[in-house]
Amino acid sequence: MPYFDAASAAPLHPVARQALLASLDEGWADPARLYREGRRARLLLDAAREAAAEAVGCRPDELVFTPSGTRAVHAGISGALAGRRRVGDRLVVSAVEHSSVLHAGETHAAAGGTVTEVPVDRSGAVDADAFAAALVPGTALACLQSANHEVGTEQPVAEVAEACRAAEVPLLVDAAQSLGWGPVAGGWSLLTASAHKWGGPAGVGLLAVRKGVRFAPQGPSDERESGRAPGFENLPAIVAAAASLRAVRAEAEAEGARLRALVDGIRARVPQLVPDVEVVGDAVRRLPHLVTFSCLYVDGETLLHELDREGFSVSSGSSCTSSTLTPSHVLRAMGVLSEGNVRVSLPAGTSEEDVDRFLAVLPGVVAGVRERLGAPVSAPSAPAPSGSLVVDSLGKRCPIPVIELAKVIGEVPVGGTVTVLSDDEAARLDIPAWCEMRGQEYVGESPRPGGGTAYVVRRVS
Amino acid sequence: MPYFDAASAAPLHPVARQALLASLDEGWADPARLYREGRRARLLLDAAREAAAEAVGCRPDELVFTPSGTRAVHAGISGALAGRRRVGDRLVVSAVEHSSVLHAGETHAAAGGTVTEVPVDRSGAVDADAFAAALVPGTALACLQSANHEVGTEQPVAEVAEACRAAEVPLLVDAAQSLGWGPVAGGWSLLTASAHKWGGPAGVGLLAVRKGVRFAPQGPSDERESGRAPGFENLPAIVAAAASLRAVRAEAEAEGARLRALVDGIRARVPQLVPDVEVVGDAVRRLPHLVTFSCLYVDGETLLHELDREGFSVSSGSSCTSSTLTPSHVLRAMGVLSEGNVRVSLPAGTSEEDVDRFLAVLPGVVAGVRERLGAPVSAPSAPAPSGSLVVDSLGKRCPIPVIELAKVIGEVPVGGTVTVLSDDEAARLDIPAWCEMRGQEYVGESPRPGGGTAYVVRRVS
């Protein structure tokens, strides 16, 4: 049963399992104690720290283990902001950071701090010059992911790190998605990561803070992990995390090249196999194992459900698959279609046969969902005499508003407009994205008295 | 090799190991995902929550899993204080809480809040009436451990909970040391615990917040664990924690009675076997598996080292075994001797033979340490003509100041005084404690010009 959601959590690497088992017996005691069980635990902890630091590219005393990547991000951001309080209260982040970074930013803003979001282009990448321009005086910290978790696009970390150095602003790099593939290039100041993304166990994050970076841990602390991560160390999991990081790094070059070729195949063939699809994210500067595409006129939740029935586990940034009913902030920031969104992230060892089976199954699944939703399949009908039409999609969820737009666009003459009334948050993103894909003109939106929004589209072809 | 430090960390229970192994295969995926691996993880998480809630005595939706007991305490205290901000900013704690509670109190005080410490008696217990009297208007939260981690004394939780109910103050009970032995009696509002104390794995704490308790989680949060514990769930460890809690509970009555008898034996025999020993903590209202005693004229670090060489792993609250060179705040609050302190906490399954071997080895080990330190062993020498003596112990560490006091007390006449000059923090606790043990009068202390403190003792017998 192929599992294609490695970017959420990877199955445990055999080396992680082996190390975990061994250290359940050897590493359960308190490493702060002086008796033999404690000394043994301390040795394991020290060795794990050295191995992890080597993979990260820092000194062992610059690295602490946290209970998760999320906690590493929270501790890193709050500590760095507090350490630079005298410089200013501005936090600069990309618009497509992981939610843990954005949540830390919300907390900072709620406490009176300032947060600047640097926008991204349609591929999901920030522009290094635009990022540099955001580093105004009073900036305490900048955050940039090494690669995006939803679309795989790599960020220009080395260039941004250089700009941060010039502006004397520390840069925190969230390397959660990339650390298993290799160290982060460039002069970062803080780095965070999460073991269960590379095949390590849950319960372990990494936080590296370079010597010389001002850092003031927030909240209660204790004597553990240099005062930066309170609570009894999760030692067996830490040992397993470090051992598996070393193991996946040894395989990274070969396995990365293999998965990159598989993903290239998906990127090329999905648009050939499935009509009305947009493959998103940078085609070249990207994670080796991850590809995301969006299918017009498809309900993301149904699509995931049908793929699950066929045996494929994938993820989605569509609004109907999230508890908030808003599309992924990443897709929104990129300005790309969010409906029928599918993220495929291949775990190490994924076979070509599994990918082929996925590509064989996908067209029928998408067609089935579209058919049930009554999506347009044929050529547009004859133009209506009127120059404009209004489609009332109030109360209908993604992808219905776009389906109804697509059905009637052929009924207005070239130069005429279709106004879609919708109260679904996803329409704000998906109607402009549909226009982009279809070569129609997106005129704009306006609030509608009595609720909802009117989206106006002009037919130009 | 007997390990007698279960109160720090217990070896993994076989059921925990088994459950961990099984859920490494079944529970590695993201329980928030809708595909089969995610649904399987969600089922495991839900089942673990139900089992843990049943053992705690709360509803499953009142309980969240945190990365450690320490994090549960930090989140519980900060959330409850913030939730009751309008009532006031006072936090009431016992003086002998775990350091995680006291650290959270320090953070609260640093942010402008008020912290009241309720003192304990010589057994380590708070007085319920004194605790009730501390619940003045403006109290946002009270914290009381179920039983003390260093001396095993049980606190009057049910009476204090009743007083809290009457004062309309929520009570947080840190049940880290006792939850494996049984549920906490009385009407607590919040409860915290730590899995590795009952034989579960590291990396799992519990935080229960009763419905109706005002609670506002602090810091960045996400959609996991009801917004009270951000970051990817450590699912295999959570499953193992819940399974082992149920397993140890099933054995608790029989094993508790067995260990209680072994500890009764230690409590009775140590003072018979070793001269100049004080057994501390309540003899009856106590944890079944834990006993603490202090040996006069002994350096705690050397004692632990010698016991380790003999194969026994124990813990100590002596100042010379801590990184801060101050004695345990618990022993200090109790006003008992801290030098030569030994905590013995028996893991489940400890054999009577191991305890007998410990008792056989202990007298020789203590005598050896005393001999090397030149501790007094014989009757006091003849009284000196002078009515008072000054002993200069400046620059000497515990237990030397007390040893030097004991050596000269016989040289002054009854009614005369010995003044000990010391700059060791432990002397502040240990000189009065020695007086209590020896039936001499502790007159008081005064700062000494040029550094250190003068402690005055009057010979009365």
Side-chain angles (χ1 to χ4, degrees):
Chain A
M1 301 288 274
Y3 171 82
F4 285 173
D5 197 22
S8 282
L12 202 63
H13 192 284
V15 167
R17 189 187 177 90
Q18 203 174 7
L20 186 66
L21 287 185
S23 49
L24 288 177
D25 297 328
E26 295 290 315
W28 52 269
D30 185 345
R33 300 290 176 188
L34 302 175
Y35 43 68
R36 66 192 174 284
E37 294 89 351
R39 295 193 304 269
R40 213 151 57 197
R42 167 64 55 187
L43 285 177
L44 288 173
L45 181 58
D46 290 346
R49 197 183 314 280
E50 272 175 40
E54 192 187 340
V56 166
C58 67
R59 292 164 34 166
D61 61 353
E62 293 174 329
L63 184 140
V64 301
F65 296 105
T66 68
S68 64
T70 291
R71 302 268 183 158
V73 164
H74 293 172
I77 291 179
S78 63
L81 286 173
R84 302 242 313 154
R85 200 172 274 149
R86 288 187 192 166
V87 175
D89 75 349
R90 184 175 298 271
L91 171 66
V92 174
V93 302
S94 91
V96 295
E97 294 299 305
H98 186 261
S99 57
S100 59
V101 173
L102 301 182
H103 291 151
E106 288 161 17
T107 299
H108 181 57
T114 310
V115 180
T116 302
E117 279 195 10
V118 180
V120 295
D121 63 20
R122 238 185 121 74
S123 81
V126 297
D127 177 68
D129 292 335
F131 203 103
L135 304 171
V136 297
T139 302
L141 176 67
C143 297
L144 182 63
Q145 62 199 187
S146 54
N148 186 265
H149 52 296
E150 287 193 32
V151 300
T153 300
E154 287 176 354
Q155 302 293 349
V157 170
E159 297 94 310
V160 167
E162 186 53 35
C164 286
R165 198 199 52 73
E168 298 185 341
V169 172
L171 175 66
L172 183 151
V173 176
D174 168 15
Q177 290 296 334
S178 74
L179 196 67
W181 298 111
V184 173
W188 49 267
S189 299
L190 301 97
L191 184 143
T192 59
S194 171
H196 77 109
K197 305 288 191 191
W198 69 63
V204 183
L206 307 183
L207 169 61
V209 182
R210 292 263 192 227
K211 288 287 159 199
V213 173
R214 285 185 190 278
F215 194 81
Q218 296 301 287
S221 69
D222 59 19
E223 77 287 2
R224 299 187 187 270
E225 294 300 295
S226 308
R228 292 175 180 173
F232 192 79
E233 290 94 346
N234 188 357
L235 190 51
I238 286 171
V239 171
S244 55
L245 179 54
R246 194 153 45 181
V248 299
R249 278 292 186 80
E251 306 154 356
E253 197 176 345
E255 187 61 12
R258 202 180 67 80
L259 294 182
R260 180 171 286 274
L262 291 179
V263 164
D264 279 338
I266 299 174
R267 292 187 70 96
R269 289 166 65 193
V270 163
Q272 296 163 357
L273 295 167
V274 181
D276 298 324
V277 159
E278 182 177 16
V279 179
V280 299
D282 197 293
V284 178
R285 291 189 59 160
R286 62 169 176 83
L287 291 168
H289 66 304
L290 192 154
V291 52
T292 296
F293 53 87
S294 298
C295 309
L296 263 179
Y297 319 134
V298 168
D299 161 13
E301 185 169 359
T302 307
L303 183 54
L304 257 55
H305 179 71
E306 293 299 322
L307 286 171
D308 178 49
R309 282 179 48 158
E310 297 284 345
F312 295 94
S313 300
V314 298
S315 170
S316 171
S318 293
S319 58
C320 44
T321 59
S322 77
S323 55
T324 56
L325 291 178
T326 55
S328 135
H329 70 277
V330 173
L331 301 176
R332 202 165 52 215
M334 293 165 66
V336 298
L337 188 73
S338 79
E339 67 184 36
N341 182 262
V342 173
R343 176 182 73 181
V344 171
S345 51
L346 308 176
T350 298
S351 71
E352 192 172 348
E353 291 67 38
D354 281 343
V355 171
D356 286 344
R357 278 215 300 123
F358 176 74
L359 291 172
V361 159
L362 182 69
V365 167
V366 173
V369 176
R370 283 175 174 164
E371 194 181 336
R372 283 204 296 284
L373 289 169
V377 285
S378 55
S381 51
S386 159
S388 68
L389 266 177
V390 175
V391 175
D392 182 355
S393 290
L394 292 166
K396 296 175 185 167
R397 296 244 164 267
C398 157
I400 301 300
V402 173
I403 289 177
E404 296 191 337
L405 165 62
K407 277 183 171 167
V408 302
I409 190 74
E411 297 178 18
V412 299
V414 169
T417 61
V418 175
T419 300
V420 182
L421 308 181
S422 174
D423 49 12
D424 181 23
E425 191 52 39
R428 176 158 291 123
L429 177 55
D430 289 339
I431 290 175
W434 179 89
C435 293
E436 175 94 19
M437 289 174 73
R438 279 284 170 272
Q440 307 294 357
E441 180 191 345
Y442 179 63
V443 179
E445 62 162 85
S446 54
R448 192 179 149 274
T453 304
Y455 300 91
V456 180
V457 174
R458 176 168 293 118
R459 182 177 172 192
V460 293
S461 63
Chain B
M1 302 286 275
Y3 171 82
F4 285 173
D5 196 22
S8 282
L12 202 63
H13 192 284
V15 166
R17 189 187 176 89
Q18 202 175 7
L20 186 66
L21 287 185
S23 48
L24 288 178
D25 297 328
E26 296 290 315
W28 53 269
D30 185 345
R33 299 291 176 187
L34 301 175
Y35 43 68
R36 65 191 173 286
E37 294 88 351
R39 295 194 303 269
R40 213 151 58 196
R42 167 64 54 189
L43 285 176
L44 288 173
L45 181 57
D46 290 346
R49 197 183 313 280
E50 272 174 40
E54 192 188 339
V56 166
C58 67
R59 292 165 33 167
D61 61 353
E62 292 174 330
L63 184 138
V64 300
F65 296 104
T66 68
S68 64
T70 291
R71 301 268 183 159
V73 164
H74 293 172
I77 291 179
S78 64
L81 285 173
R84 303 243 312 157
R85 200 173 274 147
R86 289 187 191 164
V87 174
D89 75 349
R90 184 174 297 272
L91 171 66
V92 174
V93 303
S94 91
V96 294
E97 294 299 306
H98 185 261
S99 57
S100 59
V101 173
L102 300 182
H103 291 151
E106 287 160 18
T107 299
H108 181 57
T114 311
V115 180
T116 303
E117 280 196 9
V118 180
V120 295
D121 63 20
R122 239 185 119 74
S123 82
V126 297
D127 177 69
D129 292 335
F131 203 103
L135 303 170
V136 297
T139 301
L141 176 67
C143 298
L144 182 63
Q145 62 197 187
S146 54
N148 187 267
H149 51 297
E150 288 192 32
V151 300
T153 300
E154 287 176 353
Q155 302 293 350
V157 170
E159 297 94 309
V160 166
E162 187 52 35
C164 286
R165 197 199 53 73
E168 298 184 342
V169 172
L171 175 67
L172 183 151
V173 176
D174 169 15
Q177 290 297 335
S178 74
L179 196 67
W181 298 112
V184 173
W188 49 267
S189 299
L190 301 99
L191 184 142
T192 59
S194 171
H196 77 110
K197 305 289 191 190
W198 70 64
V204 183
L206 307 183
L207 169 62
V209 182
R210 292 262 191 227
K211 288 287 158 200
V213 174
R214 284 185 191 278
F215 194 81
Q218 296 301 287
S221 69
D222 59 19
E223 76 288 1
R224 300 186 187 272
E225 295 300 295
S226 308
R228 292 176 180 174
F232 192 80
E233 291 93 346
N234 188 358
L235 190 50
I238 285 171
V239 170
S244 55
L245 179 54
R246 194 153 45 181
V248 298
R249 277 292 185 79
E251 306 152 356
E253 197 177 344
E255 187 62 11
R258 203 180 66 80
L259 294 183
R260 179 171 287 275
L262 291 180
V263 164
D264 279 338
I266 299 174
R267 292 188 70 96
R269 289 166 65 194
V270 162
Q272 296 163 358
L273 295 167
V274 181
D276 298 324
V277 159
E278 182 177 16
V279 179
V280 300
D282 197 294
V284 178
R285 290 189 60 160
R286 61 169 177 83
L287 291 168
H289 66 307
L290 193 155
V291 54
T292 296
F293 53 87
S294 298
C295 309
L296 264 178
Y297 319 134
V298 168
D299 162 13
E301 185 169 358
T302 308
L303 183 55
L304 256 55
H305 180 69
E306 294 299 322
L307 285 171
D308 177 48
R309 281 180 47 160
E310 297 285 346
F312 295 94
S313 300
V314 298
S315 172
S316 171
S318 294
S319 59
C320 43
T321 59
S322 77
S323 55
T324 56
L325 291 177
T326 55
S328 136
H329 69 277
V330 172
L331 302 177
R332 201 165 52 216
M334 293 165 66
V336 297
L337 187 73
S338 80
E339 66 184 37
N341 182 262
V342 173
R343 177 182 74 182
V344 171
S345 51
L346 307 177
T350 298
S351 71
E352 191 171 351
E353 290 68 36
D354 281 344
V355 171
D356 286 344
R357 278 214 299 124
F358 176 74
L359 291 172
V361 158
L362 182 69
V365 166
V366 173
V369 176
R370 283 176 174 162
E371 194 181 337
R372 282 204 296 283
L373 288 168
V377 285
S378 57
S381 51
S386 160
S388 68
L389 266 177
V390 174
V391 174
D392 182 354
S393 291
L394 291 167
K396 296 175 184 167
R397 295 245 165 267
C398 156
I400 301 299
V402 173
I403 290 177
E404 296 191 337
L405 165 62
K407 277 183 170 167
V408 302
I409 189 75
E411 295 178 20
V412 299
V414 169
T417 60
V418 176
T419 300
V420 182
L421 308 181
S422 173
D423 49 11
D424 181 23
E425 191 53 39
R428 177 158 290 123
L429 177 55
D430 288 341
I431 290 176
W434 179 89
C435 293
E436 174 94 20
M437 287 174 76
R438 279 286 169 269
Q440 307 295 356
E441 180 190 345
Y442 179 63
V443 179
E445 61 162 84
S446 53
R448 193 178 149 274
T453 304
Y455 300 92
V456 180
V457 174
R458 177 169 292 118
R459 181 177 173 193
V460 293
S461 61

